[in-house]
Amino acid sequence: MDKTQSRTKFLAVFPDLVDDLVAVTKQYGMPEDAIEWFKGSLNYNTPGGKLNRGLSVVDTYALLKGYKSLDDFSEEEYKKTAILGWCIELLQAYFLVADDMMDKSITRRGQPCWYRVEGVNEIAINDSFMLEGALYVLLKKYFREDSYYVNLLELFHDVTFQTELGQLLDLITAPEDSVDLSKFSLSKHSFIVIYKTAYYSFYLPVALAMYMAGVADDADLKQAHDVLIPLGEYFQIQDDYLDCFGKPEDIGKVGTDILDNKCSWVINTALQICTPEQRALLDENYGRKDAAKEAKCKQLFNELKIDQLYQEYEEKITTELRAKIAKVDESRGFKGQVLTAFLDKIYKRKK
């Protein structure tokens, strides 16, 4: 399907959803100034990103149904898949508004973080709660009569908690203002990225589409899970690698993981293979807001051939994932093509 057309059609659904949410606040008798605040938060924080997670619901549903273009959807069918996609984007907005406050971030998606907008400040905490609550309002309005409604609710609740578990471990393992590399390990990194990223970014969009398409028995959900979770981990390891070794003109930003004391795959791999002298250098220089110290870390990563180790990892994991996909049982309607589509988007990406 045409990417530009898909994004345009998807974005066109969001204003109607804002109207739905505003209508609920009016039913409760919410004053107009508070309604305008809520609308402002919804529009500022939800539709401005890449929308990959939301669009993946539509794309996955199309693959499961054998659709070749957006024209194959009925009007109601498209709207419901798009709403599920927007529910993920609302969940993402909830996470990001809160995360930016915890990390004291300055910008998000090319604009000031919501809490830094004039007059918002700590109100952003409640706004994040409302972004999460909004998705359940929409699920109730559009899916309450569907047989899989409870499955949708449980899936969103489970994935939200899983993501928060990953966020907690990340926050206590690698605070920006307190560097302690003894807290780092590849096993902690794996838990963080699986729970903080893989579940809501990879498994959630596919599982939602599967429920709506009627292809969601336990065996099929497990087939999806067993590929999408390691695929999500691979995606984040790739992200960590690109932050350190990618070219800013390719990835669209200057990497800051070293400066920010991130518990990334790069530093954890280095810690596993470095000598005591090299470890002392990392203890002294990693996570410091100092360009010269950052350069020392990068030089050591080059000496340790982290770049080569990543290339070996990438080939190994993609070989394993393609082997798993090749064994997918499609007898009940699930399609390995869904998983291949995700893998193909990620393999050898540069940004």
Side-chain angles (χ1 to χ4, degrees), residues 8 26 39 43-44 51 56 77 80 87 91 103 107 110 120-121 133 169 195 211 232 253 264 273 300 306:
T8 300
K26 287 182 176 179
K39 284 175 64 177
N43 286 310
Y44 193 93
L51 308 178
S56 291
E77 194 179 28
K80 290 184 77 167
C87 284
L91 184 67
D103 290 347
T107 61
V120 177
N121 300 312
L169 186 58
Y195 283 85
Y211 279 121
K253 64 178 182 178
S264 82
I273 61 175
L300 179 55
I306 301 296

Side-chain angles (χ1 to χ4, degrees), residues 195-349:
Y195 283 85
K196 186 177 175 180
T197 299
Y199 273 104
Y200 95 96
S201 298
F202 288 84
Y203 179 67
L204 178 59
V206 172
L208 290 173
M210 290 171 70
Y211 279 121
M212 187 170 158
V215 185
D217 67 15
D218 289 344
D220 282 328
L221 288 168
K222 186 177 188 305
Q223 288 191 112
H225 174 281
D226 290 352
V227 171
L228 291 166
I229 296 306
L231 183 62
E233 183 177 16
Y234 161 41
F235 173 84
Q236 187 58 54
I237 288 173
Q238 190 178 55
D239 221 44
D240 293 350
Y241 165 79
L242 290 171
D243 185 275
C244 183
F245 293 96
K247 297 177 181 179
E249 60 268 27
D250 290 337
I251 64 176
K253 64 178 182 178
V254 176
T256 60
D257 282 1
I258 296 172
L259 296 171
D260 294 342
N261 189 38
K262 293 294 185 182
C263 181
S264 82
W265 179 86
V266 174
I267 180 64
N268 280 294
T269 300
L271 290 170
Q272 200 172 48
I273 61 175
C274 64
T275 66
E277 292 77 13
Q278 291 169 330
R279 170 60 185 265
L281 184 148
L282 290 171
D283 282 329
E284 184 178 339
N285 293 282
Y286 193 81
R288 273 48 178 205
K289 304 293 186 183
D290 183 311
K293 293 187 174 185
E294 177 192 34
K296 288 182 180 180
C297 292
K298 285 193 173 185
Q299 182 180 347
L300 179 55
F301 294 154
N302 284 319
E303 291 172 9
L304 292 171
K305 295 184 170 59
I306 301 296
D307 178 57
Q308 180 180 324
L309 291 173
Y310 170 77
Q311 305 301 333
E312 293 170 0
Y313 160 79
E314 182 168 49
E315 294 309 313
K316 180 175 182 289
I317 189 64
T318 53
T319 298
E320 291 173 357
L321 290 172
R322 292 193 193 282
K324 281 187 178 181
I325 294 169
K327 294 179 181 178
V328 165
D329 178 3
E330 299 187 350
S331 62
R332 291 173 300 272
F334 185 65
K335 297 180 180 179
Q337 183 184 1
V338 168
L339 306 174
T340 301
F342 274 84
L343 180 55
D344 288 346
K345 288 178 186 176
I346 295 168
Y347 181 59
K348 296 290 185 183
R349 73 184 173 100

Side-chain angles (χ1 to χ4, degrees), residues 34-294:
I35 291 174
E36 288 302 311
W37 183 285
F38 183 37
K39 284 175 64 177
S41 170
L42 287 166
N43 286 310
Y44 193 93
N45 294 302
T46 313
K50 297 176 182 176
L51 308 178
N52 288 337
R53 295 165 183 83
L55 288 167
S56 291
V57 180
V58 179
D59 292 345
T60 299
Y61 184 84
L63 286 171
L64 290 171
K65 301 292 283 188
Y67 294 168
K68 302 300 182 186
S69 76
L70 293 172
D71 294 335
D72 294 333
F73 285 81
S74 70
E75 185 176 343
E76 181 187 4
E77 194 179 28
Y78 178 80
K79 185 167 185 180
K80 290 184 77 167
T81 55
I83 289 167
L84 289 177
W86 279 115
C87 284
I88 301 183
E89 294 299 329
L90 283 163
L91 184 67
Q92 160 90 334
Y94 155 57
F95 290 147
L96 296 184
V97 169
D99 189 56
D100 287 341
M101 293 192 75
M102 287 182 270
D103 290 347
K104 301 179 178 64
S105 299
I106 305 301
T107 61
R108 167 74 65 182
R109 298 170 174 169
Q111 60 187 3
C113 297
W114 178 241
Y115 80 96
R116 291 179 59 85
V117 172
E118 185 177 358
V120 177
N121 300 312
E122 283 79 10
I123 299 173
I125 298 171
N126 191 67
D127 291 333
S128 73
F129 299 157
M130 292 185 71
L131 290 165
E132 183 198 21
L135 77 88
Y136 293 104
V137 173
L138 295 174
L139 289 177
K140 182 179 179 181
K141 177 177 174 63
Y142 288 99
F143 295 92
R144 191 179 187 186
E145 302 304 319
D146 290 302
S147 61
Y148 53 90
Y149 176 57
V150 172
N151 298 112
L152 299 181
L153 294 177
E154 289 186 346
L155 182 59
F156 269 106
H157 284 306
D158 289 347
V159 170
T160 299
F161 188 59
Q162 288 163 332
T163 306
E164 290 160 353
L165 291 175
Q167 173 76 338
L168 172 61
L169 186 58
D170 193 17
L171 289 167
I172 65 174
T173 300
E176 271 196 60
D177 57 353
S178 177
V179 182
D180 182 358
L181 298 184
S182 68
K183 291 183 176 181
F184 285 21
S185 69
L186 279 171
S187 62
K188 276 188 178 179
H189 176 268
S190 180
F191 184 96
I192 290 167
V193 302
I194 285 173
Y195 283 85
K196 186 177 175 180
T197 299
Y199 273 104
Y200 95 96
S201 298
F202 288 84
Y203 179 67
L204 178 59
V206 172
L208 290 173
M210 290 171 70
Y211 279 121
M212 187 170 158
V215 185
D217 67 15
D218 289 344
D220 282 328
L221 288 168
K222 186 177 188 305
Q223 288 191 112
H225 174 281
D226 290 352
V227 171
L228 291 166
I229 296 306
L231 183 62
E233 183 177 16
Y234 161 41
F235 173 84
Q236 187 58 54
I237 288 173
Q238 190 178 55
D239 221 44
D240 293 350
Y241 165 79
L242 290 171
D243 185 275
C244 183
F245 293 96
K247 297 177 181 179
E249 60 268 27
D250 290 337
I251 64 176
K253 64 178 182 178
V254 176
T256 60
D257 282 1
I258 296 172
L259 296 171
D260 294 342
N261 189 38
K262 293 294 185 182
C263 181
S264 82
W265 179 86
V266 174
I267 180 64
N268 280 294
T269 300
L271 290 170
Q272 200 172 48
I273 61 175
C274 64
T275 66
E277 292 77 13
Q278 291 169 330
R279 170 60 185 265
L281 184 148
L282 290 171
D283 282 329
E284 184 178 339
N285 293 282
Y286 193 81
R288 273 48 178 205
K289 304 293 186 183
D290 183 311
K293 293 187 174 185
E294 177 192 34

